[in-house]
Amino acid sequence: MAVDPSRTVSELKALRELTGDENGAQRVAWTDTWERARDWLRRLVADTGAVESVDAAGNQWFTLHGESERAVLIGGHIDSVPNGGWLDGCLNVVAGVEVLRRIAGEGTPPVTIRLVNWADEEGARFGRSLFGSSAAAGSMSDQDELRTLVDRDGTALPAALAARGVDLDSAIGARAELDTAAAYLELHIEQGPVLESLGLPLGVVLGTFGVERHRITWHGQAAHAGSTPMDRRRDALAGAAKLALEIREIAKRTGGGAVCTSGGVACQPGIVTSVVETAEQLLDQRDLSAQRLAAMLAEARTASERFAAEENIDVEWERIWSIEPILFDETLIGFGEEAVAEVSGNTHRLPSGPLHDAAEVSRSGIPTVMLFVQSLRGLSHTKLEDTREEHLELAVTALDLLTAKTVAWTADGGGR
Ligand SMILES: [Zn+2]
């Protein structure tokens, strides 16, 4: 029995009909539409014989028991941002159902297969992404902060969760779900333009970028725009401007997909008749290698000190947020490459800029890999998000091959 990838495309269209409108997907986590999508998924899986359970964090699991308790996990998220695309997150869940059907049709598998629909990957309503996967991975440690979160209509996060039967204080109990996990697989749309620009339908994801975010404050001296000669100015904006251009060179020199962004500069006093006294600059740097990321940060700091000296101003750095790169499993990356090559004749390895549920699972120590399928125009989180149907079908087949290789590997003692 083989997978029927065209069925996955039809089912994704049915989900779009059921939970979208003229502005796009509306499956925001913890809402009635989200619950309707979960109920739809429940009915879709029913005839595979996989057993449904909902864990302490609201994650929806479908378990096909095998000869061994050790489990290969296939994950995705059916929640969307408001006015979202029709594929983000749900592609993998629906493709995973097709893989479950294939495996169930072949009798009892040697290891257990579990499909997980993570709860609230997007964080669209309360601003906290990766809710369910971080609870399961044991990395949720911000419950005090979560208790204070309120949505636009004034509903508190704990109340929204309680309405769906989830108790925030018990959510980390979801951790037990990963006790038997041997490996984790996730298929996702790329949400960027790289595969399309290379003319490739699919790629294997090496891991998720590490991120360094800083606020850089430049201190100069406000002075009259008419009476201050050019060589007497202490212009805070000049430092920020030089750094905004320099980080592009730093990213270029680093190469390998490294990116640096100066996302904004706020100037004081910010009037047309004064030299800028204070410029607050935001910097975001990302790379897959912790060493290269640290080097990019050091280069930017050194450059900022040089510019401060050149402009006779002061510069101050403050870290806003950071996360280390999360690297996926080498063996599974190899299986992913084999699967992609088998269905498309080509393969390509690429990093992920966005974080995904897979990153949470990976950093909890479970061998993990992701496949990306091409996104048209690189667009996502909009109703314009799209992928060619033939590429979606290749993606389903690639996920199925990757799952088969992973099942054989874990049955043989591979994985955690
Ligand atoms: Zn997603």
Side-chain angles (χ1 to χ4, degrees), residues 188-190 195 201-203 205 350-352 356 370-374:
H188 206 281
I189 52 168
E190 184 198 345
L195 291 172
L202 293 157
V205 185
L350 72 168
S352 172
H356 288 286
M370 292 184 78
L371 299 180
F372 274 169
V373 62
Q374 189 191 108

Side-chain angles (χ1 to χ4, degrees), residues 77 79 88-89 121-122 186 188-189 191 355-357 381:
H77 62 94
D79 73 302
D88 180 359
E121 190 272 351
E122 298 286 4
E186 185 170 332
H188 206 281
I189 52 168
Q191 304 179 286
L355 281 168
H356 288 286
D357 293 309
H381 285 192

Side-chain angles (χ1 to χ4, degrees), residues 267-288:
C267 295
Q268 296 294 339
I271 55 172
V272 73
T273 51
S274 176
V275 172
V276 172
E277 178 156 295
T278 311
E280 258 191 23
Q281 181 168 31
L282 298 172
L283 177 64
D284 176 296
Q285 297 178 291
R286 303 187 190 213
D287 195 82
L288 195 59

Side-chain angles (χ1 to χ4, degrees), residues 67-82:
E67 283 157 23
S68 158
E69 277 286 287
R70 298 179 70 228
V72 171
L73 272 40
I74 303 172
H77 62 94
I78 217 160
D79 73 302
S80 74
V81 296

